[in-house]
Every structure is written in C-alpha cells, then in structure tokens.
Amino acid sequence: MTKASPLVFGRHTGHEQVVFCHDAGSGLKAIIALHSTALGPGLGGTRFYPYESEDAALEDVLHLSRGMTYKNALAGLDHGGGKAVIIGDPDLDKTETLLRAYGRFVASLGGRYITACDVGTYVADMDVVARESRWVTGRSPAEGGAGDSSVLTAFGVFQGMRAVAERVWGGTSLSGRRVGIAGVGKVGSKLTGLLLDEGASVVVTDVSEHAVEQLRTAHPQVDVVGDATELLRAGIDVYAPCALGGALDDDTVTLLTEGRVSAVCGGANNQLAHAGIEKSLDDAGVLYAPDYVVNSGGVIQVADELHGFSFERARAKATKIYDTTRAIFQLAADDGVPPAVAADRLAERRIAAVSRLRDVYLGR
C-alpha cells in the first residue's frame, strides 16, 4: 500500500488537510478532505462515483467537505467538516479488498476524520471499512451501528419543508400542496412517503427507471415525469432536489419563476451550481431552504452512533431542523440577505464562539 500524501497547497485554500489515497493492489483511488476540525473531528460520508477525472473528484470533495463543516455546525454537533470520494464505478469496482484498503487510510488519520455512507456506499460497505478502522459510522445494527441514515435525512428535509410552509403559507402543514422530487433513491423515496402521509401530492423524476418502478409499487398515486424540466413545469409548489449537486443553476431559476414555484427544499448536497444563485432565487421570490441545513438528519443519526445509538434521541435532534430553518428565514429577513447567506453567518458564529472557548480552556 502506498503512503497517503497531503495536497500541496496553492490554488486550493481553506482546508486543514487533503489526502490522496492510492492502493495499486486493490485499485483504490480516493481523496479525503478535512475542511475544519474547529468543533471536533471531521465527520462526513464517503462518495463512490465514476468521476471523469481526478480534478473533478478533487473539486467535489473540497466542496462537500466545506459543506459538512457548516452542516455539522448548524446541526449542533461537536464535529467539523470532512468528506471522502472514491473514484470508480461502485457497481464494477467495489470489492472487499478495496474497501478495506480505504479503511486503512481512514485509520491512518487517527480519528481526525470519521466516515459514513454517501452516494454509492451503503451500510454493508461501512461494515467492511470498519474492519480496518474504528472511525466509521453508519454501520449495520448487527455491528452496533445505526443502520440506514437516509431515514433521518428524509425526516429532516420534511422538517425543513414544514418551516418553508409556515414562512410561505402561514402554517406548517403541507396538506394540499404539490411537491416535485427530483431523485427518488434512498432519501427521495422516504421523503415521498412522509409527504403523502401529510396529505401532499407528489410528482417525481429520476434517471433510474428501476427507482421509479420501486416507488410506484409502494406509492401508485405518485405522478411521474421524464426529467427535471418537466417537473418544474408540473404545477408544483415546492421543488425538492434529492439527487446529485448543482441542481440549481440559472436555467433552473428561470423555470422556477415561470412555473411559479414558491420554494426549494431538498436533500441533495451542494444544490447551488455557482455563487450568486442564492441571490437570483431571492430576487425571483423563490424561498430557498439551505441544503446543508435541511439534509442534516443523516449526519445527526450517524453522529449519535458514536455515543451508543438511540433512534429516539437522534430523531428528537433531527426534529430541531424545523427550528433552525425557521430561525434562518427570520435572520435572512432581519438582515436583508438570502437564506443561504444567513445560514452561513449562523454557522460561522457558532464555529467562532466554540473555537474561542477552546482557546481559553487551553490557555492559548
């Protein structure tokens, strides 16, 4: 196994540590990024994805790890931001040997980074990684873990959507509202069930026909459209991106405006395609619930696993996503800024305050 090597800093700044991991024997090519450990060890999932290039993988892991710093801060966790990506096709390249090799790299960081599931990785994978490192969450109940973290991720998005409903329509109920969900995998499918139970109507789209078929089997009343453009023209009240990042770009803002969509609240990470989209949404009168706030239920769940998992305790913490989202909307209104800016400010205040207390305690 080759030695992990830190990124030589130059064009990339703001991260405490970025590690490239390569094991020729298993074919492992991975990058672990630690954005901040100001609040505690970096916590964030491992994404297994066939990136077009190493540069594309690096760009993604840098964005994702920074997002985890802010997500963990606003979730009230004593964790900083970290994330990892494994470059490859999980359906073709994932093996026990590769996952165990990856686990050794996680272990080599000595607890500075704690991993979990993400796109392309599952509970069973974390059980394998944990055979080489104790800094792993999202494991199966049989191995003492919390299991599928998408349960509370979807629940948290639903709580955020309740805060959206209150802000837009004056009450927290989504009954009678029409929600468009792009991506009905682990999170989107569970969010669908929560919304239907609430009395909302749901229209969905997904690139995977299998995912759509599974959803329609469980919920035959759901409407299906061909793509995100059709979804935004389907007379929806709330748009819920629940697939990969970058879902909100300039064209999407135009479609949201033309479709008179009131709000965006979904489970995908890094929804804003570029800087300035948050202002475009705000100017268009579309309320945006910051993704890293409303989708934090999953990280709340896996963080609780580190203390001996209690689903009831984790669910109670995830319920507070409603309060946090509500507070962000109010701060945005008070400061005259988009909700994404208000969320960043709130997270940065907590990071600064706790960091200052640690400096005092350590006598720095």
Side-chain angles (χ1 to χ4, degrees), residues 268-297:
N269 287 311
N270 294 332
Q271 293 172 23
L272 303 176
H274 60 77
I277 291 293
E278 70 283 356
K279 186 176 187 304
S280 297
L281 288 166
D282 204 46
D283 290 344
V286 178
L287 182 64
Y288 172 62
D291 50 49
Y292 71 78
V293 178
V294 302
N295 69 14
S296 63

Side-chain angles (χ1 to χ4, degrees), residues 201-263:
S201 64
V202 178
V203 54
V204 306
T205 189
D206 198 299
V207 295
S208 169
E209 292 183 8
H210 177 66
V212 172
E213 289 172 3
Q214 281 190 315
L215 186 74
R216 288 297 300 273
T217 298
H219 306 292
Q221 69 270 49
V222 167
D223 295 326
V224 179
V225 295
D227 57 29
T229 298
E230 287 186 52
L231 188 71
L232 293 168
R233 291 172 173 165
I236 60 176
D237 297 303
V238 181
Y239 176 43
C242 291
L244 295 177
L248 303 175
D249 57 18
D250 296 306
D251 291 337
T252 305
V253 174
T254 299
L255 288 168
L256 287 164
T257 305
E258 292 174 351
R260 297 183 179 180
V261 180
S262 297

